Amino acid sequence: MEQALFDDLVQSLKEAKAIARDQASASRRFKVTTPDAKSVREQIGLSQSEFAQLMQVSVKTLQNWEQHRRNPTGPAAALLKIMRSAPEVALKTLHA
């Protein structure tokens, strides 16, 4: 490894350590929010069992999302975002 690259990596690690210890502030922060499953379901107008079937999850999983005991992740979170912003397209695609 080139010395310059190694030095950059070491400096990055030192900065990360300082940020983790609140001794420095991050240059940028990203906040990722998961759509509220209940509001998406109500927007579409489906029952819990219909929505769970559409999402291909159990009703219990959907209830956990709606009651904020768990958060949808990965493809489920992405699908919820699509359903929130373009419900007609999502429903048409999923019912095809």
Side-chain angles (χ1 to χ4, degrees), residues 2 32 50 73:
E2 293 180 27
V32 178
E50 292 169 331
T73 59

Side-chain angles (χ1 to χ4, degrees), residues 17-83:
K17 183 178 176 182
I19 292 168
R21 292 182 174 178
D22 285 332
Q23 296 169 343
S25 61
S27 61
R28 60 184 166 220
R29 293 190 184 268
F30 297 95
K31 183 176 180 181
V32 178
T33 58
T34 303
D36 182 55
K38 186 174 183 178
S39 66
V40 173
R41 178 180 62 79
E42 289 174 343
Q43 172 190 352
I44 293 174
L46 297 176
S47 69
Q48 283 185 338
S49 61
E50 292 169 331
F51 194 68
Q53 185 177 13
L54 187 68
M55 294 285 297
Q56 296 185 5
V57 298
S58 70
V59 173
K60 189 69 175 167
T61 296
L62 177 60
Q63 290 170 343
N64 283 331
W65 292 346
E66 289 187 357
Q67 295 170 11
H68 304 286
R69 289 190 295 252
R70 298 262 185 202
N71 292 316
T73 59
L79 184 54
L80 281 172
K81 287 180 182 180
I82 293 167
M83 286 185 174

